Each structure stands twice: as C-alpha cells, then as structure tokens.
Amino acid sequence: MLDLNRLKALHAVSVYGSVGAAAEALMVTPSAVSQQLAKLERETGATLLERNGRGVRLTDAAGLLADHAERILALVETAEADFEALRGEVVGRLSIGAFPTAARGLMPAALALLRTRHPDLRLQLMEREPERQIREVARGELDLAVIQDWMNRPVAIPEGLSRATLFDDIADAILPASHPLADRPEIELAELSGEQWISSSPGTVCHDWLVHTLRSAELEPDITCMTDEYPTQMALVAAEHGCAIIPRLGRDFVPQGVRVVPIRSRPTRRIYALWRSDAARRPAIRAAVEALKAVSADFRGPVSEPARPAEPVAVPVTVPTMASPDGPRLSG
C-alpha cells in the first residue's frame, strides 16, 4: 500500500520543482523529503527522479504517480473536512498564513482567542507574502490565509476560494516633523513632488503598490531607502532620510520627529481571510474566521493623530456582520 506521506512528498516536488522547495513548503528538511522519495521508489519499484543539470526532474512514472497523489490528497482532505463537520467539533490541525503586518498586529490575539475557545485545536502560524499565501491555500498547503488587497491595485483571487472581509486599513503620509507640510490636517499626494521615499524591498506587495500609487499621482518614485519593517521606515523618516506611506495597522508607536498626515484620497487596503470554498464546512475554519473578525473589531473607531506623536496609533476599521463570509471574487 502506498504511504500517504511519501505521496505528499512526491506531490510537493511536482508542484515546487525541486526537493529543496518541496521541503520548505512541507516544513521539513530536504533530507527528509529525499528519504520519503527513496522509500516510495522501493515501494513502487520505479525510478521517480532523474538528474537534470544541478537539479532533478520527475520521470514519466513519477509524473503519473504525482497526478494520482494530487487526487488522493484532495480526497483525504475532503474526508477529514466531512468528518470534522459531522462531529461539529473544532478539533484537528489548522495552518494559518498571514502577511508580516497582520502576523504582528492581528495574529497573537486571534491565536490566543482560538486557544481559549477551542483548546483541542492545533494551530500553526506561518508568515507569508499574500501571493504565496494565495497559491498555498489553493493547493491545500495552507488552511486559511490573512491577505491584503490594495483598492487601487487588487490581487487576483482564483476560483474555488472564498474570503471574508476583516477590515479596511487606511495609509497615511509619514513625514519628518521639519517638513513644510507636516502640520497640515491633510494633503494631496501630488504635493509631495520631488520628495525622496522610503519603501519596502523590491518585489514585495508594498513596494509595488507604492510605486504604482506614486506614478498614478504623476510622481516618479525616488526611492533612497528600502526596508521591510515599518518601525524602521518611521525611524528613517524621523532622521529625515525621506518620506513614507504606511498603513495604520503597520504603526505601533509613532516616534518623536515624525508627523502622520492623512492623504486626501485615503489610500486603503482591505484585509481578508481566505480559504478553500470546499473546506468551509470545517468547524475549525469557521471558528478561525470568527476569531479574526472578533480581533479586528478591536480596531474599530476614528483615528485621532496626536500633535506630538508618542502614543500608540489606533487603527480605524470597517467590520462587516458575520452573517456569511463573502464568496470568491475574480479581480484583475
């Protein structure tokens, strides 16, 4: 009889293209994946991997078996979901992905709430960029994802995935206290023409969004500092190395020497929970979405920026009712 874990290893190599990438997705060592594949070769009596330059490729036999493995793993997942739904208990394992800001700002409280309400649920959190989360949810490698979707640069959600809105997160201009516009109640983005900018790393969602947003306002981005941590970006602003645009969830404390100025167009990202539609009957999925919505409700309310920012910045949110999560959406 074919071993399920060995089929999972083969399927991961088929999807990710290498033993190393498969090991990262499965959160095991490359050696562990290689051992599983070696055992599967002995079980089947077939060669599954061939050398291809510095890497490997699947043989025809492995490709055939990987196709069957995909269907088998999907059936196992369906059986587990059906069994959990029949029992009606929030049990089993639940893997959750979150982009960095949400991993810090939302997930600690959400995980604590889930553990209090459902002590038999085994939780696993992984920090991921939104695009990777979407792929992993679609493939069944993540049960639930918390992603961001900028209103002026939406992400594509594949068919077969469902989502629930958690809240809307507004981004503001972050300026040095000495900036001529620092004491304005709000500004137009175009007024920041000629400024130097502090951004996340190239290739990240936030970097690409900033470039797109500035160019949409007919500003050519002059990015001089790149760092993925928002507190570091604000420290660089305080030292007058440039300006930044940072969403409110990304701000814990606003340091001295920094002013937060609302942008009149209110750049906004929507924060979603995302899961496979056919897994929605799992009580664990429903419980996790409920917990995320409960934690998101703590961010409800207007923001009042302090004149001399040294206090935590509250985050305004719009939290929908829990009647039923949004269905899948296709966007460009």
Side-chain angles (χ1 to χ4, degrees), residues 114-248:
L114 278 169
R115 287 197 171 101
T116 299
R117 290 177 174 177
H118 309 290
D120 293 328
L121 182 62
R122 291 178 289 122
L123 296 165
Q124 184 179 55
L125 173 65
M126 288 163 282
E127 186 177 293
R128 299 279 196 267
E129 283 292 314
E131 292 90 344
R132 179 175 177 181
Q133 289 189 71
I134 293 169
R135 293 194 301 270
E136 291 184 347
V137 170
R139 293 168 177 164
E141 293 148 14
L142 269 179
D143 296 313
L144 187 71
V146 179
I147 67 168
Q148 61 176 326
D149 188 3
W150 288 99
M151 300 293 195
N152 64 338
R153 196 173 176 84
V155 298
I157 305 298
E159 291 185 12
L161 300 185
S162 296
R163 66 182 186 174
T165 299
L166 300 179
F167 61 93
D168 289 346
D169 190 18
I170 297 172
D172 300 303
I174 311 298
L175 308 178
S178 61
H179 195 283
L181 303 177
D183 294 324
R184 290 268 296 276
E186 64 178 13
I187 60 173
E188 295 284 357
L189 190 56
E191 294 181 85
L192 295 174
S193 176
E195 296 292 343
Q196 293 182 326
W197 292 93
I198 299 163
S199 169
S200 301
S201 301
T204 61
V205 171
C206 291
H207 174 90
D208 294 345
W209 171 82
L210 178 65
V211 170
H212 173 79
T213 299
L214 293 177
R215 286 177 175 163
S216 296
E218 299 184 351
L219 303 177
E220 187 57 32
D222 180 11
I223 298 173
T224 58
C225 300
M226 288 173 280
T227 175
D228 293 332
E229 293 292 331
Y230 285 137
T232 307
Q233 291 187 23
M234 286 193 288
L236 289 166
V237 173
E240 301 187 354
H241 293 296
C243 303
I245 300 177
I246 297 180
R248 294 173 183 179

